[in-house]
mmCIF file of all heavy atoms in Angstrom:
data_model
loop_
_atom_site.group_PDB
_atom_site.id
_atom_site.type_symbol
_atom_site.label_atom_id
_atom_site.label_comp_id
_atom_site.label_asym_id
_atom_site.label_seq_id
_atom_site.Cartn_x
_atom_site.Cartn_y
_atom_site.Cartn_z
ATOM 1 N N ARG V 397 -15.937 -33.268 -5.576
ATOM 2 C CA ARG V 397 -15.381 -33.607 -6.885
ATOM 3 C C ARG V 397 -13.854 -33.547 -6.810
ATOM 4 O O ARG V 397 -13.292 -32.796 -6.027
ATOM 5 C CB ARG V 397 -15.895 -32.634 -7.956
ATOM 6 C CG ARG V 397 -15.540 -31.186 -7.709
ATOM 7 C CD ARG V 397 -16.198 -30.297 -8.748
ATOM 8 N NE ARG V 397 -15.874 -28.894 -8.513
ATOM 9 C CZ ARG V 397 -14.768 -28.288 -8.947
ATOM 10 N NH1 ARG V 397 -13.871 -28.991 -9.630
ATOM 11 N NH2 ARG V 397 -14.543 -27.019 -8.702
ATOM 12 N N GLY V 398 -13.181 -34.369 -7.626
ATOM 13 C CA GLY V 398 -11.727 -34.423 -7.610
ATOM 14 C C GLY V 398 -11.128 -33.694 -8.796
ATOM 15 O O GLY V 398 -11.821 -33.199 -9.687
ATOM 16 N N GLU V 399 -9.790 -33.659 -8.803
ATOM 17 C CA GLU V 399 -9.068 -33.080 -9.928
ATOM 18 C C GLU V 399 -7.853 -33.945 -10.215
ATOM 19 O O GLU V 399 -7.306 -34.606 -9.330
ATOM 20 C CB GLU V 399 -8.629 -31.645 -9.613
ATOM 21 C CG GLU V 399 -7.748 -31.509 -8.397
ATOM 22 C CD GLU V 399 -7.259 -30.085 -8.200
ATOM 23 O OE1 GLU V 399 -7.170 -29.359 -9.204
ATOM 24 O OE2 GLU V 399 -6.951 -29.718 -7.054
ATOM 25 N N ARG V 400 -7.428 -33.946 -11.467
ATOM 26 C CA ARG V 400 -6.309 -34.790 -11.879
ATOM 27 C C ARG V 400 -5.005 -34.049 -11.616
ATOM 28 O O ARG V 400 -4.823 -32.897 -12.037
ATOM 29 C CB ARG V 400 -6.447 -35.150 -13.358
ATOM 30 C CG ARG V 400 -5.436 -36.185 -13.850
ATOM 31 C CD ARG V 400 -5.747 -36.576 -15.277
ATOM 32 N NE ARG V 400 -6.993 -37.319 -15.363
ATOM 33 C CZ ARG V 400 -7.079 -38.628 -15.253
ATOM 34 N NH1 ARG V 400 -5.998 -39.353 -15.033
ATOM 35 N NH2 ARG V 400 -8.244 -39.247 -15.353
ATOM 36 N N ARG V 401 -4.077 -34.724 -10.918
ATOM 37 C CA ARG V 401 -2.775 -34.132 -10.592
ATOM 38 C C ARG V 401 -1.676 -35.162 -10.802
ATOM 39 O O ARG V 401 -1.893 -36.379 -10.651
ATOM 40 C CB ARG V 401 -2.753 -33.659 -9.131
ATOM 41 C CG ARG V 401 -3.780 -32.608 -8.792
ATOM 42 C CD ARG V 401 -3.410 -31.246 -9.360
ATOM 43 N NE ARG V 401 -2.355 -30.652 -8.575
ATOM 44 C CZ ARG V 401 -2.571 -29.903 -7.492
ATOM 45 N NH1 ARG V 401 -3.810 -29.681 -7.069
ATOM 46 N NH2 ARG V 401 -1.552 -29.366 -6.842
ATOM 47 N N ALA V 402 -0.470 -34.687 -11.138
ATOM 48 C CA ALA V 402 0.708 -35.551 -11.256
ATOM 49 C C ALA V 402 1.329 -35.698 -9.876
ATOM 50 O O ALA V 402 1.764 -34.703 -9.277
ATOM 51 C CB ALA V 402 1.704 -34.968 -12.243
ATOM 52 N N LEU V 403 1.385 -36.945 -9.343
ATOM 53 C CA LEU V 403 1.831 -37.188 -7.977
ATOM 54 C C LEU V 403 2.959 -38.212 -7.943
ATOM 55 O O LEU V 403 3.075 -39.078 -8.816
ATOM 56 C CB LEU V 403 0.685 -37.731 -7.113
ATOM 57 C CG LEU V 403 -0.613 -36.930 -7.018
ATOM 58 C CD1 LEU V 403 -1.585 -37.707 -6.137
ATOM 59 C CD2 LEU V 403 -0.342 -35.559 -6.451
ATOM 60 N N CYS V 404 3.758 -38.092 -6.915
ATOM 61 C CA CYS V 404 4.662 -39.177 -6.556
ATOM 62 C C CYS V 404 4.109 -39.783 -5.264
ATOM 63 O O CYS V 404 4.033 -39.088 -4.240
ATOM 64 C CB CYS V 404 6.087 -38.683 -6.362
ATOM 65 S SG CYS V 404 7.264 -40.035 -6.080
ATOM 66 N N VAL V 405 3.719 -41.039 -5.329
ATOM 67 C CA VAL V 405 3.067 -41.695 -4.198
ATOM 68 C C VAL V 405 4.090 -42.545 -3.449
ATOM 69 O O VAL V 405 4.899 -43.270 -4.065
ATOM 70 C CB VAL V 405 1.878 -42.546 -4.662
ATOM 71 C CG1 VAL V 405 1.201 -43.216 -3.467
ATOM 72 C CG2 VAL V 405 0.865 -41.682 -5.412
ATOM 73 N N LEU V 406 4.038 -42.479 -2.123
ATOM 74 C CA LEU V 406 4.954 -43.219 -1.249
ATOM 75 C C LEU V 406 4.149 -44.164 -0.362
ATOM 76 O O LEU V 406 3.171 -43.739 0.275
ATOM 77 C CB LEU V 406 5.754 -42.234 -0.383
ATOM 78 C CG LEU V 406 6.735 -42.783 0.647
ATOM 79 C CD1 LEU V 406 7.868 -41.775 0.877
ATOM 80 C CD2 LEU V 406 6.082 -43.090 2.004
ATOM 81 N N PHE V 407 4.579 -45.419 -0.355
ATOM 82 C CA PHE V 407 4.053 -46.405 0.602
ATOM 83 C C PHE V 407 5.223 -46.943 1.425
ATOM 84 O O PHE V 407 6.326 -47.162 0.896
ATOM 85 C CB PHE V 407 3.368 -47.580 -0.116
ATOM 86 C CG PHE V 407 1.910 -47.335 -0.383
ATOM 87 C CD1 PHE V 407 1.500 -46.674 -1.532
ATOM 88 C CD2 PHE V 407 0.929 -47.778 0.510
ATOM 89 C CE1 PHE V 407 0.157 -46.453 -1.790
ATOM 90 C CE2 PHE V 407 -0.412 -47.562 0.255
ATOM 91 C CZ PHE V 407 -0.802 -46.888 -0.887
ATOM 92 N N SER V 408 4.985 -47.123 2.716
ATOM 93 C CA SER V 408 6.002 -47.744 3.567
ATOM 94 C C SER V 408 5.324 -48.732 4.509
ATOM 95 O O SER V 408 4.126 -48.610 4.801
ATOM 96 C CB SER V 408 6.776 -46.692 4.362
ATOM 97 O OG SER V 408 5.982 -46.177 5.414
ATOM 98 N N ASP V 409 6.122 -49.701 4.990
ATOM 99 C CA ASP V 409 5.565 -50.731 5.856
ATOM 100 C C ASP V 409 6.689 -51.260 6.740
ATOM 101 O O ASP V 409 7.869 -51.280 6.336
ATOM 102 C CB ASP V 409 4.982 -51.862 5.003
ATOM 103 C CG ASP V 409 4.140 -52.822 5.831
ATOM 104 O OD1 ASP V 409 3.468 -52.350 6.754
ATOM 105 O OD2 ASP V 409 4.181 -54.037 5.537
ATOM 106 N N ILE V 410 6.358 -51.676 7.944
ATOM 107 C CA ILE V 410 7.347 -52.253 8.856
ATOM 108 C C ILE V 410 7.430 -53.758 8.584
ATOM 109 O O ILE V 410 6.403 -54.452 8.583
ATOM 110 C CB ILE V 410 6.955 -52.014 10.334
ATOM 111 C CG1 ILE V 410 6.876 -50.511 10.633
ATOM 112 C CG2 ILE V 410 7.983 -52.668 11.263
ATOM 113 C CD1 ILE V 410 6.441 -50.191 12.047
ATOM 114 N N ARG V 411 8.638 -54.244 8.357
ATOM 115 C CA ARG V 411 8.834 -55.665 8.067
ATOM 116 C C ARG V 411 8.690 -56.499 9.360
ATOM 117 O O ARG V 411 9.319 -56.180 10.390
ATOM 118 C CB ARG V 411 10.244 -55.900 7.495
ATOM 119 C CG ARG V 411 10.459 -55.217 6.175
ATOM 120 C CD ARG V 411 9.687 -56.000 5.079
ATOM 121 N NE ARG V 411 9.506 -55.160 3.891
ATOM 122 C CZ ARG V 411 8.365 -54.542 3.602
ATOM 123 N NH1 ARG V 411 7.336 -54.664 4.420
ATOM 124 N NH2 ARG V 411 8.250 -53.840 2.513
ATOM 125 N N GLY V 412 7.844 -57.554 9.275
ATOM 126 C CA GLY V 412 7.702 -58.494 10.373
ATOM 127 C C GLY V 412 7.139 -57.890 11.636
ATOM 128 O O GLY V 412 7.448 -58.367 12.742
#
Side-chain angles (χ1 to χ4, degrees):
R397 60 185 179 84
E399 58 176 334
R400 188 174 292 271
R401 299 286 284 272
L403 304 178
C404 186
V405 180
L406 178 152
F407 271 87
S408 74
D409 192 36
I410 299 178
R411 296 286 162 258

